[in-house]
Amino acid sequence: MKAAVCTKYGPPDVVQIQDVAKPTPKDDQVLVKIHATTVTSGDSRIRGLNVPAGFGPITRLMFGFRKPRNPILGTELSGEIEAVGKDVTTFKVGDQVFGSSGFSSGAHAEYICLRAAGGLAPKPANLSFEEAAAVSFGGTTALYYLRDLGKIQRGHKVLVVGASGSVGTSTVQFAKHFGAEVTGVCSTANVELVKSLGADHVIDYTQEDFTQNGQTYDLIVDTVGVAPFSKCKDSLVPKGKLLLVVAGLPQFAQVMWTSLFSSKKVAAGVASEKPEDLLLIKELLEAGTLKPVIDRTFPLDQIAAAHRYVDTGRKKGNVVITVTGTNGR
């Protein structure tokens, strides 16, 4: 099968299309023929070893010292079940699915084997494969930070920094779903996009500093790593929370410090792919409450170009990779 192989840590050109062995599912796994996947900012960071401060050695230990241990990157996917292990009862051959491979990666390929009880769910019926591939990472991350870490409540005031990215666009939409008053922070070019996702207010960071406008929020979600506690603590209400989607060791130290000495808290963590969360995302997508945001689409053989675009930091929502060239509706 064809796969995009990361031959070593480095610039986008280290990702090369190669022929690799097609996997065979274990007893509790399914074999998915991938129709679409994405290149996320996480894929870009792993490929270039461009990780938050203090996490370089940890990243090498987790993912590989000189190159990724699994050289096929990619976590988000949509596709069709081609084979099932003998113990699998939840899926059958021909089922259309979407989801995530999590830390095991491997989605930048024509096929992948995943645990049937892991991060997979039936594909939303109203979405193409490309659209379905563009929702699991941002959606599950938004759920984890808003619902699990932030304990979001109806009527909360929520500020989303980086509101036009993959996680940001999902966070704006989920915050509205939970009944919050949402303010998005983005560049001039993305103001209308963020408004279209339901944000009640949009701050153009090139024109206004949200930390200087006197507004306070119950939750501030920093999806891009530009809003440290020292900068935005005065923008939090008493007992407000700063939620750090991108955090290095200094920020994790703040998590511990604020838990002991401040009424305002900092929280960070790692989202996991739960089938029940994917089913919720599916339900909201089919209802039209949640919408995928796709910036650009590249074929698999141009995935290095997709990495270069993601590296610019200017993508809106998601960058999708088509693997089979079918829309699957």
Side-chain angles (χ1 to χ4, degrees):
M1 69 172 184
K2 299 291 185 182
V5 177
C6 185
T7 57
K8 59 183 177 180
Y9 295 119
D13 289 341
V14 303
V15 181
Q16 300 174 3
I17 303 300
Q18 298 182 5
D19 287 309
V20 301
K22 181 179 176 180
T24 301
K26 298 178 181 177
D27 291 348
D28 63 344
Q29 291 182 328
V30 296
L31 174 68
V32 181
K33 181 177 184 178
I34 297 175
H35 292 316
T37 180
T38 64
V39 175
T40 68
S41 57
D43 297 323
S44 170
R45 284 194 293 269
I46 295 300
R47 184 217 74 233
L49 206 65
N50 180 24
V51 294
F55 278 91
I58 296 172
T59 302
R60 288 182 186 271
L61 284 173
M62 289 180 60
F63 292 97
F65 187 71
R66 291 186 175 86
K67 62 181 181 180
R69 193 169 290 109
N70 181 356
I72 303 173
L73 303 180
T75 58
E76 292 184 291
L77 63 103
S78 64
E80 188 173 346
I81 303 291
E82 186 167 291
V84 299
K86 69 179 184 64
D87 295 336
V88 174
T89 59
T90 51
F91 294 104
K92 65 182 185 300
V93 173
D95 283 350
Q96 295 182 353
V97 294
F98 81 113
S100 173
S101 60
F103 281 116
S104 62
S105 300
H108 291 168
E110 291 181 317
Y111 292 90
I112 190 171
C113 287
L114 297 172
R115 288 180 59 249
L120 277 181
K123 182 179 78 66
N126 59 328
L127 265 59
S128 68
F129 282 116
E130 289 80 9
E131 291 167 330
V135 291
S136 58
F137 173 71
T140 55
T141 303
L143 270 175
Y144 173 71
Y145 278 88
L146 289 172
R147 181 194 61 195
D148 300 343
L149 290 185
K151 310 298 182 186
I152 190 171
Q153 300 292 320
R154 179 169 296 276
H156 268 175
K157 292 179 66 177
V158 177
L159 181 88
V160 182
V161 182
S164 60
S166 174
V167 175
T169 52
S170 290
T171 302
V172 168
Q173 294 181 82
F174 266 109
K176 287 300 298 178
H177 169 68
F178 288 125
E181 178 183 334
V182 181
T183 299
V185 180
C186 62
S187 66
T188 308
N190 298 326
V191 167
E192 293 305 316
L193 167 64
V194 175
K195 285 181 179 178
S196 74
L197 297 174
D200 300 284
H201 317 283
V202 181
I203 294 174
D204 178 353
Y205 68 75
T206 70
Q207 303 295 322
E208 180 183 349
D209 184 346
F210 76 86
T211 66
Q212 303 298 315
N213 64 11
Q215 297 294 313
T216 55
Y217 305 91
D218 298 280
L219 299 175
I220 296 177
V221 187
D222 178 12
T223 71
V224 287
V226 296
F229 184 67
S230 59
K231 178 181 178 181
C232 59
K233 62 182 178 180
D234 291 339
S235 298
L236 289 167
V237 301
K239 297 186 179 181
K241 289 183 179 179
L242 170 63
L243 306 176
L244 299 176
V245 178
V246 180
L249 289 181
Q251 287 72 41
F252 275 94
Q254 287 182 338
V255 172
M256 299 176 62
W257 183 89
T258 58
S259 69
L260 295 173
F261 301 110
S262 176
S263 67
K264 303 175 182 181
K265 307 300 183 185
V266 178
V270 179
S272 60
E273 296 75 27
K274 303 175 183 177
E276 57 267 30
D277 286 348
L278 289 171
L279 290 173
L280 172 59
I281 291 170
K282 174 182 182 291
E283 176 185 327
L284 296 178
L285 287 164
E286 291 180 335
T289 303
L290 184 65
K291 299 177 181 179
V293 178
I294 296 175
D295 185 337
R296 299 186 183 185
T297 301
F298 297 81
L300 181 63
D301 61 4
Q302 294 180 22
I303 195 169
H307 272 269
R308 279 192 290 273
Y309 182 61
V310 173
D311 282 359
T312 68
R314 300 298 180 187
K315 71 179 178 68
K316 302 176 183 180
N318 301 272
V319 171
V320 171
I321 304 297
T322 56
V323 181
T324 62
T326 176
N327 67 20
R329 271 208 182 102

